[in-house]
Amino acid sequence: MTGAPVVVAPRRATGVALLERAGVDLIVCDDGLQHLALARDLEIVVIDAQRGFGNGRRLPAGPLREAPSRLAAVDFVVVQGARVDALGTDVPRAWQGWHGTLGMQLALQAAQPVRLDEHSAADASRPLAAFAGAPVHAVAGIGNPTRFFDALRAAGLTPIEHPFPDHHAFRAIDLEFGDTAPVLMTAKDAVKCRTFAAARCWQVPATAHGFRSTFRDWASERTAVPSEVAEMALAHAVGDQTEAAYRRGDLFDKRRELMTLWAKYIETPVTGGNVQQLTKRRTK
């Protein structure tokens, strides 16, 4: 969906070597924490604020692959569903990374669902609010389907819930419910359904809040860069239709300058608090 190279390999180090030969210089590995043979520069663990660590036990007695004490050695812990402005009350003391803990919330309110059937003659996208007022089928084969269903309800929709196991291999029959109501699903599930999805199937993108507000505050308070450059660096669309119509450039050089300043900012050691300078680790 993004155009970035993707490799699937049981041996993660083999997949990384393949990407390096292709000239890739930044590699994000999903579920790579327990692959100790895989060299890494940064470790980030994401925790669901609602479910936490379950019973706290490792497989097969519980949901964990490693003990919770492993968090003390990772760089950052990102708590999905925690309020960014209230981590002190939302996050247990044990959920602390080596450099700190970040809050993140996925929001759908401003989402613009995209039709999966690219050959449909109907509109390719529409506001999420356009689906309110009548029931919709909500399909989710993710780790916590309830979070997606609750987010749709919070946006004013009436979802008919269809939870599937995480990493479910969808088939066309999974999206047939005996009516013509729209079918809404996550971006993760949409990738698997795109080749057979009907025109009534829609992908609902989610926006992660947390980093963006921090970046925007830094850009406005610590730099002289115009706000429109910061917004484009965040991949935000221009809100004003007149301004968007007259824009011809992508401000690439100015965005590159801004991101260079941001890199220097986050690499600068601090003298107080719990944040430490990132260092390169475990390069075996």
Side-chain angles (χ1 to χ4, degrees), residues 73-209:
V74 306
D75 294 283
F76 287 101
V77 174
V78 177
V79 183
Q80 153 64 345
R83 300 198 310 276
V84 178
D85 60 346
L87 277 176
T89 57
D90 276 6
V91 179
R93 185 174 298 276
W95 295 5
Q96 298 295 325
W98 189 32
H99 293 308
T101 303
L102 307 173
M104 179 183 74
Q105 291 184 318
L106 293 178
L108 302 182
Q109 280 81 352
Q112 189 87 1
V114 177
R115 194 185 298 273
L116 267 65
D117 183 2
E118 299 176 351
H119 303 290
S120 174
D123 49 333
S125 66
R126 65 176 61 169
L128 187 61
F131 294 91
V136 299
H137 293 287
V139 172
I142 57 179
N144 187 0
T146 301
R147 185 180 297 280
F148 178 61
F149 304 146
D150 289 345
L152 291 176
R153 271 188 286 270
L157 276 64
T158 307
I160 303 172
E161 301 180 7
H162 301 281
F164 288 85
D166 195 13
H167 304 297
H168 179 68
F170 282 94
R171 301 174 299 166
I173 194 172
D174 293 329
L175 307 181
E176 295 295 334
F177 305 112
D179 57 30
T180 59
V183 178
L184 274 57
M185 65 185 69
T186 68
K188 175 181 176 180
D189 298 320
V191 173
K192 306 173 186 178
C193 302
R194 193 172 302 278
T195 57
F196 54 78
R200 68 190 186 112
C201 295
W202 299 79
Q203 167 191 327
V204 183
T207 300
H209 291 286

Side-chain angles (χ1 to χ4, degrees), residues 47-58 61-64 66 68 95:
I47 301 174
D48 189 304
Q50 293 179 349
R51 301 190 300 174
F53 295 139
N55 62 7
R57 298 181 178 180
R58 282 175 280 186
L64 305 182
E66 296 202 37
W95 295 5

